[in-house]
Amino acid sequence: MLTRSVIAATAALALLGTTAQATAADDRVPDLTRFYHQKVTWGACKNLDGAPDDMQCGKVTVPLDYAHPEKGTVDLAMNRIPASGDRRGSLLVNFGGPGGPGVAGLVGSAQQFEDLAKGYDIVGFDPRGVGTSSPVTCGDGSDMPDEPLADDASTVLEQAAKQWQVCRKHSGPVADHIGTINVSRDLDVMRDALGDDKLNFFGFSYGTRLGAVYTGQFPHKVGRMVLDGVDTLTEPMVEQTRVAVEGQQTALDNFVTWCAQNAGCVLGDNARDAKQNMTDLVSQLNERPIPLGDDVEYGGDDLVNALGTALYHRDAWPYLSQALANVVADRDPRALLRLTGVPIPPPDEYAGRAIVSQEDVPPDNFGVALTMVNCADDPDRLTAAQLSDEKMIKSLVDDYTEASPIFGPARLEQVLLCAGQPKGTDFIRKIHDVDTPRFLLVGTRGDPATPYRWAVETAQRLGEQAVLLDNHGDGHTGYFSSKCVAQKADDYLLYGELGRGGLYCGEE
């Protein structure tokens, strides 16, 4: 039975469908002049808690449908830290997801960009469908049909279609025009509105997919680009998601082992037992969620979401350990809510690490946007025939559950929710040997979310213009955790220094 989960029914991660992409096959050349003749009007930021004093906010307007710009528009929220020294232009930043809000991300990361801000205006933005840019949502779950995991293929497809219609109703027309192809085109409109002839871009995690797509769509408009925590361009969603599940479980195992070695670990002092206790805690919260008032509950899916947030960075582990202790001892999830930055009523009591006012952002926006974009970016779909193959479905379930009993089932559900929908774009699969200036890719050997081999494969696919930095470290992405990576990325973005051949950073 669905509950009004704080993450707004992650089960209802429910998503998605497909997006109407503007394609090269459309012979009609739409008039986009008015979108490329705008300028960003910067002003004081409102409702940005913790923002630096010099941060400014603005917006740009982009067409809902690039093939038919008369159908409507979307306003994209932006913010920037103005350059403090000799300005060489703007550096747009995407912090990942898909579904991660860039305006909030820049507020939280402002100090880390101080050196780059000597030469660039550092610009964050909420992509279409994300944050405060026409956010997609599936509502509060009250009108959501049953979950699509069922015994027969027809029921799966029928329920997935019903869920998509609910999400589309709550999201509005942007739901049909989400996806990286369109976000990349938005990126080019932003570049022009900022007054830059070339795009200077720093993409983390999913942001590397966005950057790679831009090199395929606008190769001659690429300036200096860094892609850190490199996403795959070739693996279908089924395979890509399983790799992500495996990485999350590895990170969780490492945390649980660390916790068990420290006094007071609520999961126990034996690593094997602690792993089982974590799995049991998720199940217990799903069976008996914690009531938070106003018909809102904190369940196992919310805990899984919090774990996924905390495990990317080792310095969050002590906080996560204490937050879990609060849940087990007192059924108090407030520390976990702070960890994920999810504000729920009453706001004074539950105010946490959320750094941007979220009153206009649906609590399920991240999960819904993530799945919508991934479905839109993937041409592969499980067919009715495949879904009817009980052995194949059982094999998938077993495979994902073996990869992670905690993260696997929910992530597989995201894959199944794309089943039966028209396929997404195949443009991304075709990107190779881009004709751009040289740019930097960062792959971290111990990355739990984007494995190092993806960085190698993507560098080879993009061609000799892609220079790979081999970072022998841990954690998701390298810029914020490695002084070596930060120095090499800054030297390239500020001074154009890349050298010849591959680059290397050792463990720190």
Side-chain angles (χ1 to χ4, degrees):
M1 181 174 65
L2 293 174
T3 63
R4 287 185 57 196
S5 163
V6 174
I7 306 305
T10 304
L13 257 177
L15 322 166
L16 339 353
T18 54
T19 66
Q21 306 281 359
T23 68
D26 191 341
D27 293 332
R28 188 178 63 88
V29 179
D31 183 6
L32 302 175
T33 304
R34 68 187 179 101
F35 299 103
Y36 277 93
H37 282 183
Q38 60 183 310
K39 298 296 180 184
V40 182
T41 300
W42 297 105
C45 295
K46 299 178 181 179
N47 300 322
L48 279 179
D49 298 332
D53 293 339
D54 61 343
M55 181 169 282
Q56 301 170 323
C57 288
K59 68 176 183 180
V60 297
T61 301
V62 297
L64 181 68
D65 182 346
Y66 277 90
H68 302 278
E70 70 281 359
K71 288 186 176 181
T73 61
V74 179
D75 288 338
L76 304 180
M78 303 175 68
N79 60 341
R80 73 170 179 177
I81 303 170
S84 59
D86 294 333
R87 181 181 180 276
R88 60 162 290 116
S90 300
L91 178 70
L92 282 101
V93 183
N94 182 281
F95 294 96
V103 170
L106 185 58
V107 174
S109 305
Q111 290 185 341
Q112 282 82 4
F113 289 107
E114 285 183 349
D115 287 340
L116 287 176
K118 295 174 183 177
Y120 289 98
D121 294 340
I122 310 298
V123 180
F125 65 97
D126 288 349
R128 58 171 63 207
V130 172
T132 53
S133 298
S134 299
V136 293
T137 176
C138 293
D140 63 8
S142 60
D143 57 348
M144 186 62 64
D146 292 338
E147 299 176 29
L149 291 176
D151 294 333
D152 63 277
S154 62
T155 300
V156 171
L157 295 178
E158 180 183 352
Q159 295 300 87
K162 289 180 179 178
Q163 289 200 348
W164 160 241
Q165 290 305 321
V166 171
C167 298
R168 187 177 184 277
K169 177 186 72 174
H170 288 292
S171 298
V174 72
D176 289 330
H177 302 279
I178 202 169
T180 305
I181 300 298
N182 280 324
V183 177
S184 174
R185 300 196 69 168
D186 295 343
L187 201 58
D188 196 56
V189 172
M190 284 186 274
R191 171 201 60 76
D192 187 78
L194 292 168
D196 294 332
D197 293 331
K198 303 284 186 179
L199 174 73
N200 302 307
F201 180 74
F202 205 142
F204 298 90
S205 193
Y206 161 75
T208 68
R209 188 196 309 173
L210 175 57
V213 169
Y214 189 90
T215 67
Q217 287 185 302
F218 305 101
H220 301 301
K221 295 181 181 179
V222 174
R224 293 179 183 175
M225 180 178 290
V226 176
L227 307 180
D228 184 3
V230 183
D231 201 355
T232 179
L233 299 180
T234 59
E235 291 187 359
M237 188 176 176
V238 172
E239 296 176 17
Q240 180 179 353
T241 304
R242 192 200 177 285
V243 169
V245 166
E246 204 169 49
Q248 286 181 299
Q249 186 62 44
T250 298
L252 179 60
D253 290 346
N254 291 340
F255 161 74
V256 167
T257 300
W258 168 88
C259 184
Q261 294 170 349
N262 289 272
C265 176
V266 72
L267 299 173
D269 57 9
N270 176 281
R272 184 178 61 183
D273 292 341
K275 292 177 185 179
Q276 184 59 51
N277 290 337
M278 176 65 81
T279 302
D280 292 343
L281 180 58
V282 172
S283 299
Q284 291 164 10
L285 286 176
N286 275 329
E287 294 171 1
R288 193 165 69 95
I290 301 172
L292 298 175
D294 194 26
D295 198 28
V296 177
E297 298 177 324
Y298 192 95
D301 289 334
D302 302 307
L303 175 56
V304 171
N305 181 74
L307 292 173
T309 299
L311 292 173
Y312 276 162
H313 301 290
R314 192 181 182 93
D315 58 5
W317 288 6
Y319 185 91
L320 175 60
S321 179
Q322 182 58 52
L324 291 171
N326 293 346
V327 170
V328 172
D330 303 317
R331 284 178 60 82
D332 180 358
R334 284 176 293 176
L336 288 173
L337 289 168
R338 295 187 185 102
L339 189 63
T340 48
V342 178
I344 65 171
D348 292 339
E349 181 178 0
Y350 289 102
R353 290 178 58 196
I355 49 180
V356 179
S357 172
Q358 298 287 308
E359 61 185 45
D360 295 326
V361 181
D364 67 336
N365 175 241
F366 178 89
V368 175
L370 181 147
T371 310
M372 282 190 171
V373 172
N374 283 340
C375 287
D377 287 357
D378 185 17
D380 295 308
R381 290 288 184 269
L382 292 173
T383 65
Q386 288 175 311
L387 290 171
S388 298
D389 185 342
E390 293 184 7
K391 290 184 178 180
M392 194 276 294
I393 293 298
K394 185 179 186 302
S395 176
L396 268 180
V397 172
D398 291 346
D399 194 30
Y400 270 65
T401 303
E402 181 182 0
S404 173
I406 289 180
F407 299 106
R411 297 300 295 270
L412 176 58
E413 187 169 316
Q414 296 176 35
V415 174
L416 294 178
L417 283 165
C418 296
Q421 301 291 345
K423 72 175 186 178
T425 180
D426 60 358
F427 177 86
I428 298 173
R429 299 277 179 86
K430 297 178 180 178
I431 299 173
H432 62 86
D433 295 318
V434 294
D435 184 18
T436 67
R438 298 170 76 220
F439 58 96
L440 180 63
L441 274 63
V442 180
T444 297
R445 294 279 179 162
D447 194 316
T450 51
Y452 179 74
R453 68 175 176 83
W454 282 358
V456 175
E457 292 167 0
T458 299
Q460 293 172 344
R461 186 172 186 82
L462 295 178
E464 61 183 13
Q465 300 302 88
V467 177
L468 178 60
L469 169 55
D470 181 359
N471 176 35
H472 284 238
D474 293 306
H476 186 36
T477 72
Y479 185 78
F480 296 121
S481 58
S482 167
K483 293 180 181 179
C484 173
V485 171
Q487 188 65 60
K488 290 184 184 299
D490 287 355
D491 286 347
Y492 162 62
L493 289 169
L494 291 170
Y495 313 115
E497 297 179 6
L498 267 183
R500 292 290 169 185
L503 303 176
Y504 170 82
C505 282
E507 294 185 14
E508 297 183 8

